[in-house]
């Protein structure tokens, strides 16, 4: 294995893309869990009720909003 | 595979930087998750209520403080 290739800009780009993909996957997974728990409180039906849909949409937005706020807070501590 | 290349200063630097980034990413995710559970107790709305917003802010601070406190305690045990 030639470690000098780790510095190439192709490798950097590949790595960066993979890292972003991983982060997106992680976030989707987390959002699904968190918002399922918060919004689907009764027996799941054969489609989402309108309050469930609204809740899920709000939930996803709020969670991401919160995630960004906390990230900014951490960055300001650097 | 020439494993001696793992000791190169470039590799060490890369590894160290990536490790720091990973710790921060992990902590942000953890804080987000914990504070979501603690503060968003009802149905998520189309924006954070002021009590939710204060809770999230306090929560993030306290979590970071807890983390630092534990690190210090741990270090004083060395």
């Amino acid at each position: 294995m030639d470690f000098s290739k780790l510095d190439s800009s192709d490798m950097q780009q590949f790595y960066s893309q993979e890292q972003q993909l991983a982060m997106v996957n992680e976030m989707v997974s987390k959002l699904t869990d968190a918002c399922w728990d918060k919004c689907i409180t009764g027996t799941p039906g054969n489609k989402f009720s309108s309050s469930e849909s609204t809740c899920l949409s709000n939930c996803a937005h709020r969670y991401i909003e919160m995630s960004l706020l906390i990230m900014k807070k951490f960055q300001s501590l650097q | 595979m020439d494993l001696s290349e793992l000791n190169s200063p470039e590799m060490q630097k890369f590894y160290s930087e990536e490790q720091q980034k990973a710790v921060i990413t992990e902590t942000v995710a953890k804080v987000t998750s914990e504070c979501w559970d603690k503060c968003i107790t009802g149905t998520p709305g189309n924006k954070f209520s002021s009590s939710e917003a204060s809770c999230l802010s306090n929560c993030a601070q306290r979590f970071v403080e807890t983390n630092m406190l534990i690190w210090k305690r741990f270090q004083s045990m060395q």
Side-chain angles (χ1 to χ4, degrees):
Chain A
M1 195 185 270
D2 179 5
F3 281 109
S4 67
K5 296 250 166 71
L6 283 170
D7 285 342
S8 78
S9 61
D10 285 342
M11 194 63 188
Q12 295 278 32
Q13 198 179 29
F14 172 75
Y15 179 72
S16 174
Q17 281 168 346
E18 288 302 305
Q19 206 172 30
Q20 281 194 309
L21 267 174
M23 282 169 69
V24 168
N25 279 335
E26 180 76 36
M27 182 55 96
V28 168
S29 176
K30 186 66 203 181
L31 274 175
T32 305
D33 265 349
C35 297
W36 176 265
D37 285 344
K38 284 269 182 259
C39 297
I40 313 306
T41 50
T43 308
N46 63 359
K47 63 186 199 312
F48 289 127
S49 70
S50 65
S51 62
E52 283 170 335
S53 299
T54 306
C55 180
L56 288 169
S57 177
N58 285 338
C59 176
H61 282 115
R62 297 292 75 71
Y63 197 97
I64 290 171
E65 195 183 321
M66 184 181 59
S67 194
L68 288 170
L69 278 169
I70 288 170
M71 213 179 291
K72 276 193 199 131
K73 189 168 268 228
F74 267 81
Q75 282 171 343
S76 73
L77 292 174
Q78 298 302 299
Chain B
M1 190 191 273
D2 179 6
L3 290 173
S4 69
E5 293 194 40
L6 287 171
N7 287 329
S8 77
E10 292 84 16
M11 197 61 189
Q12 295 280 33
K13 181 166 184 265
F14 174 77
Y15 180 72
S16 173
E17 281 166 8
E18 288 306 304
Q19 203 172 30
Q20 277 192 311
K21 273 193 255 175
V23 167
I24 290 172
T25 306
E26 175 84 33
T27 307
V28 168
K30 184 76 189 169
V31 172
T32 306
S33 183
E34 292 296 322
C35 295
W36 176 265
D37 287 344
K38 289 256 182 266
C39 297
I40 312 305
T41 49
T43 308
N46 63 2
K47 62 187 197 320
F48 290 127
S49 71
S50 64
S51 62
E52 283 170 336
S54 319
C55 179
L56 289 170
S57 177
N58 288 337
C59 179
Q61 283 294 131
R62 299 291 84 69
F63 191 97
V64 169
E65 277 168 20
T66 305
N67 204 25
M68 288 199 213
L69 204 139
I70 288 171
W71 266 116
K72 281 198 194 122
R73 197 55 62 92
F74 191 74
Q75 279 173 338
S76 72
M77 277 159 54
Q78 298 300 299

